[in-house]
Every structure is written in structure tokens, then in C-alpha cells.
Amino acid sequence: MSEAQTGDRIRQLVRAADRMAMDQYGHSPSTLKPDGSWVTPADGAIERFLRRELMALFHGDVGIFGEEQGWSGDRRASYIAILDPIDGTAAFRSRIPVWGISLAVFKQQAKTDLWEPLAGIFSMPAAKHVFLSAHGKSAEWNAAPLSIPSVQSGIRKSDYLGISSDAQHWDLRRYPGKLRSFGVSGYEVILVATGTLQASFLTRFHFYDIAAAAMVLWQAGGGLYRLSGEPVTPTEMVRKTRDQPEASEAPIIACHPAHLEALLEMNFRPL
């Protein structure tokens, strides 16, 4: 099967997962996990479905990490899939359409421990948006090409910065624009790709939350950066998820490269 055919099959799987989610949208029982986040039966059902179908698609040559059930398959396989069955379960259970199904598949470069994007989908069926990294080569929004709009240097008062749910613990006063929090890390990364947000400052997240959205952002012309200015790469994302999936991540900034210097000059720091 070609990469294009594999990507098409992955899209079909996510569309099926969309239907499963919408069947339970807003009326699925929910419980609190020890970390204070919500989980519903829909999370588990979607994750089990995608695991089974991905294992069949790649004939077992895939390691799969999901938020609810951890690892399955071989972590040394030629492909790694990272999924969050419902990113934004709190919104899902409350029938607020700001949530998505996140699935990213990475391909190992031959005879190395280097990884490259194969396909990434962040699907928001309640909001009727599908964001796609097509075969790791381009980004799409509802089947139309997606790239970050024309970028102006500096930060204006009309610009928006996405922030995580623990932003009250950070000194963000130097940012001259406006702050917005959506409670869904993957969606905030997507909003950077669309140009709605100038940047997102992610301080409370895991790579499995943002893997698919990161693929879209990379192909739309943006990047993920540490506060040192070092870029986060696909290889780092795979290795960290493979070796330390539940470890807390250091803060990152999602933005267009042209904005990075001005954002780093804001000197975001914990209070």
C-alpha cells in the first residue's frame, strides 16, 4: 500500500471514530481521573477501535500510544501512532464543540532512530472542522490548503496568545496582546496554524495531546519551540512519548518562526 493510500485509510478510520464520538456527544457518563481530567466511555471505545484498526492496517508493524490505555504493539516497530481519542473531554461531556480526535502516525527513517511525519489528523466533528497533515508534506483544513497567513514582525495589541489552564502560575504581563485559553492543547496549536492565534504558550500538556496538531502546524509553516529557542522535532516527540509518555513536558511556544524572537523577549517565567 502506498503512503497516499495509507493516509486515505487513516482518514477513513478517523471519520469512523468521529461517528462513534458524535453518537455519545454530550450524554456519555463521565468520571474524574486522578489528575483531575475527565474520561468517558467514548474515550475508551474510540481508542480501542483505532488501536485495532491501526494494527491491522500496518500488519502489526506499529507501536501505538493512547492517552487512556498507554502502549500496545512493538515500540521498535517501523511506525509509531500517537492518539488522543478525545482531546477536550470536559467540553465533549458538556456538549461544547471545542474538542477533537487526534491521531498522528510517524514513520521511522531506515536503520535509524529518526522519525518523520506520515499522517496527522485533528478532527472536530461537532464543529465540522478537519485539520490534516497529508502524508507529512502539506496541511489542509476541510480539504483546502492551509498555511499560516502573512506574518508581520513584532507583537501588536490586536494579537492573541493561547495559554494553558495553569497560566495563572506564569508571568505573562509583558505580552502586549490578548490572552485566550480554550482548554484543548491540540486545538490551540491548530489555531496557530490558521493564524487565529499569533502563538500558543503551552505549559500544561503532553506530546500525545498535540502530536497530530503539531504535524499540521509544521506543514502550515509554523513550529514548536522550547524557551531556549530550540525547535521540537518529530523525532523528539516520538522518543519522549515512547520512553517517558507521562512525564511533564517543559513549556513550549507554538508559532511562526518569524514571531519567535519577539515572543522569547517576553521572558515568560513562572511566578
Side-chain angles (χ1 to χ4, degrees):
M1 184 180 293
S2 69
E3 288 192 2
Q5 291 172 321
T6 300
D8 289 342
R9 179 56 181 153
I10 291 170
R11 277 182 277 187
Q12 292 171 9
L13 296 180
V14 173
R15 283 198 292 269
D18 287 345
R19 293 190 291 270
M20 294 173 64
M22 292 303 293
D23 285 344
Q24 299 189 53
Y25 178 41
H27 55 80
S28 184
S30 54
T31 56
L32 276 172
K33 296 190 289 188
D35 65 359
S37 62
W38 292 98
V39 64
T40 73
D43 293 81
I46 291 168
E47 186 166 318
R48 287 190 296 273
F49 165 75
L50 290 174
R51 283 179 187 276
R52 182 178 68 250
E53 296 299 323
L54 288 167
M55 194 63 67
L57 175 62
F58 290 102
H59 305 287
D61 188 20
V62 60
I64 304 171
F65 181 84
E67 179 185 9
E68 305 306 331
Q69 299 160 30
W71 275 100
S72 62
D74 186 354
R75 301 189 199 190
R76 299 165 297 176
S78 302
Y79 299 90
I80 292 291
I82 300 174
L83 67 97
D84 188 344
I86 299 179
D87 183 20
T89 306
F92 174 83
R93 65 184 291 272
S94 300
R95 206 169 178 82
I96 298 170
V98 184
W99 55 273
I101 296 172
S102 173
L103 173 60
V105 180
F106 297 83
K107 179 182 179 180
Q108 186 181 31
Q109 295 182 14
K111 299 181 181 179
T112 71
D113 191 25
L114 301 176
W115 297 83
E116 58 188 26
L118 175 64
I121 302 178
F122 190 85
S123 181
M124 305 179 69
K128 302 186 185 307
H129 293 303
V130 179
F131 300 92
L132 169 71
S133 171
H135 325 309
K137 297 177 182 177
S138 61
E140 298 177 4
W141 177 4
N142 289 349
L146 174 63
S147 61
I148 298 177
S150 298
V151 172
Q152 297 182 358
S153 60
I155 302 172
R156 303 165 298 180
K157 290 184 179 180
S158 58
D159 288 327
Y160 290 87
L161 176 70
I163 53 176
S164 297
S165 58
D166 66 342
Q168 71 272 21
H169 301 303
W170 289 81
D171 184 356
L172 306 175
R173 291 174 295 177
R174 294 189 62 188
Y175 185 78
K178 303 175 183 180
L179 307 181
R180 293 290 185 269
S181 180
F182 296 87
V184 184
S185 299
Y187 184 50
E188 290 202 2
V189 173
I190 289 292
L191 290 178
V192 177
T194 67
T196 304
L197 296 177
Q198 180 189 48
S200 182
F201 181 47
L202 299 172
T203 54
R204 185 179 182 183
F205 74 101
H206 293 89
F207 278 139
Y208 57 72
D209 297 317
I210 66 168
M215 285 191 183
V216 174
L217 178 64
W218 285 324
Q219 299 306 324
L224 303 173
Y225 303 92
R226 301 291 186 187
L227 296 186
S228 64
E230 289 297 313
V232 175
T233 66
T235 292
E236 179 185 359
M237 188 169 287
V238 170
R239 289 176 180 175
K240 290 293 290 291
T241 305
R242 182 187 63 196
D243 301 333
Q244 298 174 298
E246 298 299 336
S248 297
E249 289 298 332
I252 61 173
I253 296 172
C255 67
H256 189 280
H259 287 145
L260 180 61
E261 183 177 357
L263 290 162
L264 293 177
E265 288 176 355
M266 296 298 98
N267 195 25
F268 299 141
R269 63 179 64 186
L271 295 170

